[in-house]
Amino acid sequence: MNKIIIAEDIMQEHEVKRYFEIWRESVIRSHLTITAVFLKLANFTPSTEVERCNINVQISNFLKSKIRKTDLLFQSADGDHWGILFLQSSDVEAEAFLRRIYKMLKNNNVVKEFNQLGIKASITEIRNNHVTFDTLVEKNKEKLADDSQPMWLIERVTDYRVQPIEQVKVSIIEQNVIFRKVLETTLHQLHIPNFALEVTAYEDGYSFLQSNTYKSGHTHLVVMNDILPRKNGLEILHTLRKMPNEKKFIIYMMSERNSEGAILNAYEGGVDEYIVKPFNLRLLEAKIKRTFARFWL
Amino acid sequence: MIGLSIHFLLSVIALLLVLFFIFVLYLFFQRERENHFLTARETYIKNYSQCWYEYLFNDEIFSVVLVPRGRAQVEAIEIIFSSYLKNIINENVRQKIKEFSNVYLIKFYAQDLRSKRWSIRMNALYRISELHIDELLEACKKLERTNISETEYFQLLKIYSSFQPDLFIEKIKVPNASYSESEYRRLFVLLEEDVFIRFFDEFDRWPANIQYAVIDTAAAKKNMKYIDRLKQLLTHDVTEIKIRALKGLFEIGVIDDIEPFVPFVTSDFWEARLMVGKIFKHVPLTYTYSYLELLLQDENWWVRSQAAKTIAEDREGLAKLQQFIASSSDQYGIEMAQEIVARKQGNR
């Protein structure tokens, strides 16, 4: 059996495992998409141990020079695979990275003395926490195990790309009962991929603050009028923005006032969207969809 | 002493009691009628507001159950329509409301227009305008020929402005009542672009109230198509019109050329100089600094203050003001620059 060649200054599989377990739990909590890329030499059997060692070191150094500071490069325990964990990146970016380094390897003879050298890779996009590090490594090694696979191949492991459905609280605070009902129906019918909206409507600010629904840890979309009986919209805005976990609130304020001063005041107070009445309901739906689309890459 | 017999007194008391009893009965009856009306209205809203939503927004088939039977249901429909029109923009919904009103509500409002009570006629006029019941235009014209109040005539003008703009312009040329600037603004804001622009074509023929309202409405509409028209007014003979045109151009906020504004830097009127100071907020400081420096040394406090604020808003503004403080000999200008610099630095 070949002696395992370990490149210097590169993290090893067992070291990365601990980091991976932490990042995996952040996938859902922080909407942090991770993409793992595994690389292996294709159709290449080194004639000597020295040659193998030489290639390994050169490939490692090449990869190290091409990744960002937020990416993590490591070498597998068997010494035949390299792994890169891309944080905050989707498979699209990972594939673009691979295409880029493939091009460099093909054109520039990065690994000197071995003109015919080629690599192959597999990509795994991770959008849930159902994967362990060992399974991840095993599945990717399986994808690249076939020695007859061509050079510059890009395989994919798609088992972990389904996002879990996230529960989102939606509070509508509007005095006009008919319009409130319209908003409630519209938001009930709104389909946002990977998010389940739990819609509740209130006729005034006080009943919203009494309900305590805003005290849970869920992401919370608040669609409210600026003028409301009892507690008005701006008071609610200040209450929510003073809370320690205020970032979980997405606040849309509706108003009949279209003046620069009123709009600036609302944005400075912390609203995410200011919507002047009358407005188009389809536009409101589109804005909400875009807001949630930004949550995940 | 007045001599009244017991019998007479008892008769008066009995009569008063009967009258009181009849009055109580009347109140009770009225109260019941009102309750019945409110219940019918609320029941309609409760039962059919969802059907209205489905019909108006989701293109469900129109159901005859939505057709109003009686005044209470008409009022319920008014509440539903009003809620939609005040909160939601949707041309399809607006068209459906208009079509429905022109078929099913027309007879109620036609009857209301003939009412002897002012409040009922006014309510009908409001609804005709809000729901775009153009089928009642002739009935409105007929109403105009009767002895109506100024507020009703104003409401009629609003209706003409929506349904027959030519007639509106004709009527406004020979005003039966003189309105304030703000009332004219309320009329003009409803006009379509092509009708409104005609007020600029014949600008000098209009009385001052209308001229001012036209300029202010153009500014409030923030439509770039009015920029050239407002620029043309900068050479008008009347100072008030020039100042209002400057204010309008500032509010629209799109300045492509500073040349038309430069003469106002040395205007005899401080209001014009103030407006130029404001307008230059919309232009990079490199083009305007020399003029703003002049305004910073103006004799008027408001003009100096505005010039300093405008300079300070630019990225290089603070440095320019500090440079001005170091090099200028104008004490008032230096004090103003120092005040704005201190305020700006305090906000950081």
Side-chain angles (χ1 to χ4, degrees):
Chain A
M1 195 182 156
N2 290 336
K3 189 182 156 196
I4 295 169
I5 307 296
I6 305 295
E8 286 177 22
D9 295 335
I10 280 200
M11 287 186 88
Q12 298 306 304
E13 193 180 310
H14 68 275
E15 292 175 295
V16 176
K17 189 175 176 178
R18 280 174 298 167
Y19 291 106
F20 181 80
E21 305 292 327
I22 297 167
W23 289 335
R24 186 192 59 191
E25 293 312 312
S26 300
V27 168
I28 294 167
R29 189 180 158 80
S30 310
H31 306 116
L32 176 86
T33 306
I34 302 174
T35 301
V37 168
F38 284 81
L39 302 113
K40 189 184 180 187
L41 293 173
N43 295 332
F44 187 79
T45 319
S47 49
T48 63
E49 274 307 308
V50 176
E51 189 180 288
R52 187 164 175 249
C53 176
N54 193 5
I55 290 169
N56 258 347
V57 170
Q58 286 195 51
I59 293 273
S60 297
N61 288 338
F62 170 68
L63 291 174
K64 220 169 97 179
S65 68
K66 296 300 163 207
I67 60 170
R68 302 169 300 189
K69 284 182 180 171
T70 49
D71 305 331
L72 198 149
L73 173 69
F74 64 95
Q75 200 165 16
S76 65
D78 60 13
D80 287 340
H81 297 79
W82 290 267
I84 306 173
L85 293 175
F86 293 97
L87 298 184
Q88 290 278 22
S89 300
S90 68
D91 60 345
V92 178
E93 287 154 286
E95 188 178 336
F97 169 81
L98 283 175
R99 300 260 175 235
R100 205 162 54 242
I101 63 161
Y102 281 4
K103 203 173 167 188
M104 286 177 190
L105 285 166
K106 279 182 207 168
N107 297 339
N108 299 339
N109 297 329
V110 175
V111 184
K112 290 164 193 135
E113 305 122 37
F114 302 102
N115 292 344
Q116 298 305 311
L117 189 76
I119 53 174
K120 55 185 179 179
S122 68
I123 300 174
T124 312
E125 190 182 69
I126 301 163
R127 288 173 180 266
N128 58 46
N129 58 357
H130 303 151
V131 58
T132 62
F133 186 68
D134 294 336
T135 323
L136 177 73
V137 174
E138 197 179 308
K139 286 212 172 187
N140 279 280
K141 278 184 180 175
E142 268 172 32
K143 278 277 175 193
L144 303 173
D146 185 358
D147 286 339
S148 61
Q149 282 169 324
M151 290 191 279
W152 320 118
L153 172 81
I154 298 177
E155 285 282 0
R156 280 172 204 275
V157 176
T158 53
D159 303 4
Y160 312 110
R161 63 181 314 162
V162 178
Q163 283 169 223
I165 301 289
E166 186 181 338
Q167 193 78 13
V168 173
K169 292 199 171 181
V170 180
S171 296
I172 297 161
I173 319 172
E174 162 66 47
Q175 188 184 7
N176 183 314
V177 62
I178 293 163
F179 183 51
R180 188 166 70 235
K181 192 78 190 154
V182 169
L183 284 175
E184 207 178 341
T185 311
T186 306
L187 294 183
H188 256 303
Q189 290 170 353
L190 184 66
H191 173 69
I192 302 176
N194 305 308
F195 291 93
L197 305 187
E198 185 191 318
V199 184
T200 324
Y202 304 90
E203 63 178 322
D204 58 58
Y206 184 75
S207 54
F208 167 72
L209 292 177
Q210 285 297 301
S211 71
N212 284 337
T213 49
Y214 67 98
K215 287 181 181 165
S216 75
H218 295 85
T219 302
H220 197 144
L221 171 67
V222 181
V223 181
M224 64 179 176
N225 208 22
D226 59 343
I227 297 168
L228 291 164
R230 306 209 271 179
K231 293 268 181 198
N232 72 34
L234 286 170
E235 283 177 277
I236 296 172
L237 178 66
H238 290 309
T239 308
L240 299 181
R241 288 293 178 225
K242 265 188 214 161
M243 290 179 69
N245 54 351
E246 55 99 10
K247 293 282 179 213
K248 71 174 184 172
F249 293 107
I250 304 160
I251 304 177
Y252 280 40
M253 185 174 275
M254 306 175 289
S255 174
E256 285 174 16
R257 291 183 297 170
N258 194 14
S259 71
E260 189 183 291
I263 298 171
L264 277 175
N265 193 27
Y267 277 115
E268 280 165 10
V271 301
D272 295 292
E273 284 285 351
Y274 186 90
I275 306 166
V276 178
K277 283 181 176 180
F279 60 84
N280 190 318
L281 279 178
R282 302 285 91 86
L283 193 70
L284 175 72
E285 287 177 358
K287 283 185 177 189
I288 293 174
K289 279 184 179 173
R290 277 311 306 159
T291 301
F292 283 97
R294 281 199 293 268
F295 273 36
W296 286 88
L297 285 170
Chain B
M1 193 178 164
I2 303 165
L4 290 173
S5 68
I6 296 288
H7 182 72
F8 175 76
L9 280 175
L10 283 174
S11 304
V12 169
I13 290 167
L15 183 67
L16 286 174
L17 276 173
V18 168
L19 284 175
F20 176 72
F21 184 69
I22 290 168
F23 183 66
V24 166
L25 266 183
Y26 171 77
L27 283 181
F28 181 75
F29 175 73
Q30 284 295 338
R31 173 84 184 167
E32 275 306 299
R33 227 179 98 181
E34 199 181 320
N35 280 345
H36 184 257
F37 184 90
L38 292 177
T39 312
R41 193 184 75 183
E42 294 312 313
T43 309
Y44 184 93
I45 291 175
K46 196 176 160 200
N47 292 346
Y48 299 117
S49 56
Q50 191 59 30
C51 294
W52 273 113
Y53 176 81
E54 297 297 337
Y55 167 63
L56 294 173
F57 290 92
N58 293 341
D59 293 330
E60 289 281 317
I61 298 164
F62 179 74
S63 164
V64 283
V65 294
L66 299 177
V67 176
R69 289 163 192 84
R71 285 282 167 184
Q73 294 195 353
V74 170
E75 207 172 295
I77 290 172
E78 282 175 0
I79 292 170
I80 293 170
F81 284 177
S82 184
S83 301
Y84 289 149
L85 293 171
K86 272 184 190 156
N87 293 299
I88 300 162
I89 294 175
N90 186 320
E91 210 34 63
N92 194 24
V93 169
R94 198 167 282 269
Q95 189 58 31
K96 281 182 177 173
I97 287 177
K98 182 184 169 179
E99 281 166 12
F100 176 87
S101 307
N102 272 294
V103 176
Y104 297 107
L105 301 183
I106 191 166
K107 64 176 180 189
F108 295 100
Y109 295 127
Q111 195 184 334
D112 286 355
L113 285 180
R114 291 191 296 271
S115 170
K116 283 182 182 168
R117 282 173 62 186
W118 174 86
S119 61
I120 292 176
R121 290 198 307 273
M122 272 306 283
N123 184 56
L125 289 171
Y126 272 122
R127 299 302 172 194
I128 290 166
S129 168
E130 190 182 25
L131 306 176
H132 281 254
I133 310 177
D134 47 11
E135 292 285 330
L136 282 173
L137 183 63
E138 287 309 314
C140 290
K141 287 179 188 171
K142 206 183 273 182
L143 176 71
E144 193 196 328
R145 290 194 285 272
T146 63
N147 187 22
I148 54 168
S149 65
E150 263 190 37
T151 44
E152 282 169 285
Y153 186 69
F154 181 78
Q155 203 54 36
L156 278 173
L157 286 178
K158 268 175 78 176
I159 289 169
Y160 296 153
S161 74
S162 304
F163 302 159
Q164 209 172 340
D166 288 331
L167 179 64
F168 168 71
I169 292 181
E170 207 177 286
K171 294 277 176 197
I172 219 162
K173 274 181 186 163
V174 200
N176 291 350
S178 177
Y179 295 113
S180 67
E181 264 178 67
S182 70
E183 283 169 322
Y184 280 123
R185 278 202 299 269
R186 277 167 54 205
L187 288 172
F188 296 158
V189 86
L190 301 168
L191 292 176
E192 292 293 328
E193 205 174 275
D194 55 326
V195 181
F196 179 67
I197 209 109
R198 281 157 62 182
F199 281 89
F200 282 106
D201 295 338
E202 306 167 335
F203 192 80
D204 286 325
R205 288 191 193 172
W206 299 111
N209 259 6
I210 292 184
Q211 287 179 329
Y212 299 156
V214 167
I215 298 173
D216 292 351
T217 310
K221 286 186 176 215
K222 289 193 168 52
N223 188 330
M224 285 174 65
K225 287 186 179 163
Y226 305 137
I227 290 177
D228 286 337
R229 302 297 184 133
L230 290 174
K231 271 188 188 170
Q232 283 166 13
L233 295 179
L234 294 179
T235 52
H236 201 275
D237 299 333
V238 181
T239 309
E240 178 67 20
I241 286 175
K242 284 194 271 197
I243 293 169
R244 287 197 187 226
L246 285 169
K247 185 167 171 280
L249 287 161
F250 161 69
E251 280 172 23
I252 294 175
V254 181
I255 309 297
D256 55 350
D257 177 17
I258 63 165
E259 285 311 311
F261 307 105
V262 171
F264 293 99
V265 174
T266 51
S267 166
D268 293 337
F269 299 93
W270 69 267
E271 293 92 339
R273 300 198 300 274
L274 173 73
M275 287 319 305
V276 177
K278 284 190 169 196
I279 283 171
F280 284 171
K281 273 164 81 170
H282 302 304
V283 185
L285 193 60
T286 43
Y287 298 101
T288 58
Y289 181 72
S290 56
Y291 305 113
L292 286 167
E293 198 178 43
L294 268 181
L295 294 174
L296 190 53
Q297 298 168 70
D298 198 277
E299 60 183 30
N300 183 286
W301 185 90
W302 291 104
V303 178
R304 290 199 301 275
S305 168
Q306 184 56 55
K309 281 180 197 161
T310 303
I311 295 170
E313 280 195 16
D314 191 270
R315 205 189 306 163
E316 304 296 324
L318 278 186
K320 287 275 187 193
L321 283 176
Q322 275 156 346
Q323 197 181 319
F324 175 83
I325 293 165
S327 61
S328 174
S329 57
D330 184 282
Q331 201 48 45
Y332 291 111
I334 291 171
E335 277 175 20
M336 182 55 73
Q338 283 170 334
E339 187 185 322
I340 297 296
V341 168
R343 203 183 298 169
K344 192 90 179 172
Q345 284 172 338
N347 286 342
R348 280 181 181 173

